[in-house]
Amino acid sequence: MPGIDKLPIEETLEDSPQTRSLLGVFEEDAAAISSYTQQLFQAMQRIYDAQNELSAATHLTSKLLKEYEKQRFPLGGDDEVMSSTLQQFAKVIDELSSCHAVLSTQLADAMMFPITQFKERDLKEILTLKEVFQIASDDHDMAINRYSRLSKRRDNEKVRCEVMEDVYTSRKKQHQTMMHYFTALNTLQYKKKIALLEPLLGYMQAQISFFKLGSENLTQQWEDFLSTIGTSVQNVRREMDGEVDVMQQTIQDLEQASDILYMPDPDPSKIPINRNLTRKAGYLNTRNKTGLVSSSWDRQYFFSQGGNLMSQARGDITSFDGKKVAILQAESRKDCEEWIATINNISKRIYLSENPEEIAARVNQSALEAVTPSPSFQQRHESLRPSTQGRPRAARSSSQSSMGCESPALSSLSLDSLVAPDTPIQFDIISPVSEEYASQAKSGGQGSRRTNPFGESGETPSEDSEGNRAECESARRRRKYKTRIFKSRRPLCELSEEECARGLGLPRAVVREVCAMVAADAEGGPTGSCALPVALKVTAALAFLTSGSFQDAVSLGAGVSQSAVSAAIHTVCGSLVRHADEHVAFPSSPRRRLRAQQDFRAACGLPRVLGAVDCTHVTCDANRLVTHVCARYPGSTRDARILANSALPAAFRGHAAADGCLVGDDAYP
């Protein structure tokens, strides 16, 4: 190594300008060493922290792999080969975790301790001696100045002795301090080399020891095991790639074949109606009475099981008994006719045979047109009149349909061949626009007569056919249509950014995200002009929540009725509550808690803060995102009581209590 520059200690008493100039060079060098050492210390501290994090993460990984066999996966949970393989990996990673823990200890002793000692002891000693030397130099200058001002004419021996004693003491103190300061600066030239080389030496030795320890633990047996696992992974990857190619081809084929099925009411000429079904499943709209004269339509999934019709809504499966009457609406003409044909086949108990579809095709060959509902009450009456005179009154409930048209071949068919006695499924198919006509027909004495979609009449026609024609014609003339008046509505696409922020309290992009989130819950019910779009439901609900006004005022602005606003608020709010856990979550994992603390430190300079709590009661993070809400208490409840009865105290029990805290005003303890 080249020679070390030194300050001349023997010239400290003289304290010449040349000595002071050389001292300034050494002080500048000491300041540069201090700055560089601080940066090097921070870099090595990051290495040490990363190693500690790696050791903890490796240990956690090994722990999770050991707990794999205890997990209850809905699919593939009993894969013993996978469980045993992960257990072997857990064993290897556990050994690596021990090696990482040893490496962390060696880095703390051999790398961090030397540079920390140099930074905290040697460099601080230089700063302390510099301050003491500066004070001693100032005292010496003051003593010399006082001595130089002594009067030569009026000599005061006592004052002169005091001044000379002060000069002696200050010069001695300056000389001693300067010699110690020079010695520390000269020693620093050696210590800086030691402080730079010793931590690096310790780091390299710790890494070499870690690699040797790892090579001893990872024997040839583990290398063979890893090679076998690598081969298995490649086989799984090739199998996955092959399966993905098959699925992509399937997607392309299905897209080409299903293009015409995307329309809500496809053309029957392009998609033939299958009347030989004995089983069918799909979505239907079912009518539910909500009042004396009002009703609502709910979209439910229906399927036939044996001789029973089943419906499923939100996980609950319901079967229809012989006493229950369901008014259903199909989404298309094709679905309507296939449902009727399926139920007609079920009513003949064809599903109990060995080849139900073949038998159904043979039975329905002669009744292919008989399963289509009649276009009007009068045509149904005229088509049934030749075959139904003198028949007794049917014991079963019938149904009315306003869809489709029927062939005259129905008049030559026997009704017993169409619908077997004691049919297990009673199926009413009616569209919403025909409800008004049905109610008027009841008021006119026609309420007890409905037409069954299978071709069976609910009551025997009168012997006087001319009277029946006149009665039907009179009922048709009494039928009145009510013109629906729609209020003007502004769709979401016409609202400006300012109008969304002022009226809905959210930007347009966020409103669109809310629409996409609640679409699955807000859609449904009957299709047609009376159905509200999802965007209109969302804007009506958000306008009500933002303004805090009455529903009548919101309905005037939205262009819908107050009842529609009420239903929209109920639907949207219920959907938002169901999706709350996806967006409102208090940081529970160590990584999320660390991220929240870093955000608060960067934004406010507050350490260990996980959230800010206020009101009754809302908790948010440094980015003003809500992480916890407790809204079951009125506004008069004390903030501290709401906090104590919320779920937050449970989140801070145990190890989480040492990981962070909440900030709030003086209303909290």
Side-chain angles (χ1 to χ4, degrees), residues 85-144:
T85 303
L86 293 182
Q87 291 299 320
Q88 294 182 12
F89 268 113
K91 185 177 180 181
V92 178
I93 296 177
D94 199 9
E95 295 179 358
L96 291 177
S97 176
S98 302
C99 296
H100 283 296
V102 173
L103 178 59
S104 298
T105 305
Q106 291 178 349
L107 290 178
D109 297 337
M111 183 182 70
M112 295 306 301
F113 178 74
I115 194 171
T116 303
Q117 191 177 27
F118 175 72
K119 173 177 173 290
E120 299 294 335
R121 186 184 66 181
D122 299 331
L123 293 180
K124 285 187 177 180
E125 181 184 4
I126 296 294
L127 294 177
T128 304
L129 289 175
K130 182 179 179 180
E131 294 177 358
V132 174
F133 171 69
Q134 188 65 38
I135 295 174
S137 297
D138 294 341
D139 293 344
H140 179 259
D141 293 341
M142 292 176 61
I144 292 297

Side-chain angles (χ1 to χ4, degrees), residues 243-262:
E243 187 65 26
V244 169
D245 294 339
V246 172
M247 289 188 291
Q248 291 293 341
Q249 184 63 36
T250 303
I251 291 175
Q252 295 178 3
D253 296 341
L254 289 177
E255 287 180 350
Q256 295 176 359
S258 304
D259 186 65
I260 58 176
L261 297 178
Y262 296 148

Side-chain angles (χ1 to χ4, degrees), residues 384 392-399 415 448-452 455-461:
L384 292 178
R393 182 183 300 269
R396 233 178 19 256
S397 61
S398 59
S399 61
L415 295 179
S448 60
R449 177 179 176 83
R450 294 186 299 174
T451 304
N452 191 285
E456 184 177 3
S457 175
E459 115 177 338
T460 304

